[in-house]
Amino acid sequence: EALTDAQCAALRLDTRQQRMDSTQLSSNIRTYSRLQLLVEVLHRAARMLTPADQERYAAQLQPYLQGTAGQYCYRLKPGSYAAELERLGQCFAALLDAWAADYGAEEAYRLLQQVFHEHFSVAAPETPTVITVKPAEELSASSLQSPDDLEATYRTKNGQGYRGYVVNVTETCDPDNPVQLVTKLQVAPNTTDDETLLCSAVPDLQARMPLEILYVDGGYNGPEATQTATTAEMTLAPTAIRGGQPDPEQVGLADF
């Protein structure tokens, strides 16, 4: 940013007009099935055990540690997926309880605990404790996508699924400038709303350079963006509004 600010000054660029847009940034991670992800996390947790504990829990872990997580899923018989998820939930619960005292501070343990609560429900204080598999539609978009990238999230946009991040880009756009420069880059989990990114960017941009008009698409509209623009005494120029496409046979709000 310091280099860009110096370039803007040296090139005498007019920064009062800028535009902002975002795009999806994929994380370089394997696309796991739900069961494969859980087994992979269990593999990572098993590696934290001492040799003595690896031997102690060998019988519980043995079904899941024969080969890779992908190989485990490949060997399953058709129709057994749901039952395997239920068994894995019971296994997770037992191991989390058994390992808490010795391994509770380990990252691999916390990851095992995280995915357990993301994928399973515990009906406590019933005896015995009832553990059920959460329906897929109840899984949060912020749930773990890969043990190799703990911040990557899941988002569906225009009917396509993405695992990773959103990158938000702001650049100068005055037509009289000899060149245009990117003035700000933001990267966040892809569940982050465009409006949130705008509200975070504007105060910093105005502290660095004059900014009077910001062109955005409809995804940046909202009460927080409006308040940010008002506070900054800046014009927010959206190219569309949020919401579904209006019925062409009826008079809609946009017509007014």
Side-chain angles (χ1 to χ4, degrees), residues 123-130:
E126 295 184 21
T127 305
T129 301
V130 178

Side-chain angles (χ1 to χ4, degrees), residues 5-247:
D5 294 349
Q7 290 172 334
C8 286
L11 296 170
R12 298 182 180 178
L13 299 187
D14 192 333
T15 66
R16 290 175 297 175
Q17 295 188 62
Q18 299 192 38
R19 59 183 178 182
M20 177 183 288
D21 202 2
S22 65
T23 189
Q24 296 299 303
L25 192 66
S26 293
S27 177
N28 184 26
I29 53 176
R30 177 190 295 273
T31 300
Y32 289 99
S33 69
R34 185 177 182 179
L35 187 58
Q36 186 180 358
L37 173 64
L38 292 170
V39 174
E40 179 62 30
V41 170
L42 184 58
H43 272 241
R44 308 288 177 99
R47 295 175 198 162
M48 75 180 176
L49 301 179
T50 63
D53 279 342
Q54 288 179 6
E55 184 175 346
R56 180 181 178 186
Y57 295 100
Q60 287 174 272
L61 295 172
Q62 188 266 347
Y64 306 104
L65 302 187
Q66 293 182 351
T68 66
Q71 290 169 335
Y72 167 81
C73 295
Y74 180 78
R75 290 194 299 265
L76 294 180
K77 295 180 180 179
S80 65
Y81 189 93
E84 288 297 325
L85 269 177
E86 292 178 4
R87 274 193 289 270
L88 197 57
Q90 298 290 340
C91 177
F92 271 43
L95 294 176
L96 284 168
D97 184 59
W99 293 346
D102 294 327
Y103 300 101
E106 297 287 339
E107 181 179 346
Y109 178 90
R110 292 197 297 267
L111 206 58
L112 189 72
Q113 189 176 50
Q114 175 185 336
V115 296
F116 174 71
H117 290 294
E118 287 174 348
H119 290 265
F120 302 96
S121 297
V122 181
E126 295 184 21
T127 305
T129 301
V130 178
I131 298 169
T132 56
V133 180
K134 290 183 180 180
E137 57 270 18
E138 290 185 11
L139 297 183
S140 169
S142 299
S143 62
L144 184 75
Q145 301 299 306
S146 167
D148 295 308
D149 190 342
L150 306 185
E151 295 180 306
T153 49
Y154 181 81
R155 180 179 180 180
T156 300
K157 186 174 182 179
N158 299 325
Q160 184 173 350
Y162 298 91
R163 288 176 172 83
Y165 301 85
V166 60
V167 56
N168 196 53
V169 184
T170 310
E171 67 175 353
T172 62
C173 65
D174 190 293
D176 294 329
N177 285 340
V179 295
Q180 309 296 349
L181 292 181
V182 172
T183 54
K184 191 166 185 66
L185 284 170
Q186 297 162 275
V187 180
N190 65 11
T191 53
T192 308
D193 190 75
D194 285 344
E195 184 182 10
T196 300
L197 294 167
L198 181 148
C199 293
S200 174
V202 166
D204 175 66
L205 284 165
Q206 283 201 321
R208 293 166 46 206
M209 63 190 66
L211 174 59
E212 298 176 2
I213 304 176
L214 184 63
Y215 298 96
V216 294
D217 64 29
Y220 291 86
N221 284 324
E224 293 182 8
T226 300
Q227 182 58 52
T228 295
T230 301
T231 301
E233 299 182 348
M234 176 195 75
T235 299
L236 192 62
T239 58
I241 60 174
R242 289 195 186 206
Q245 291 295 320
D247 186 340

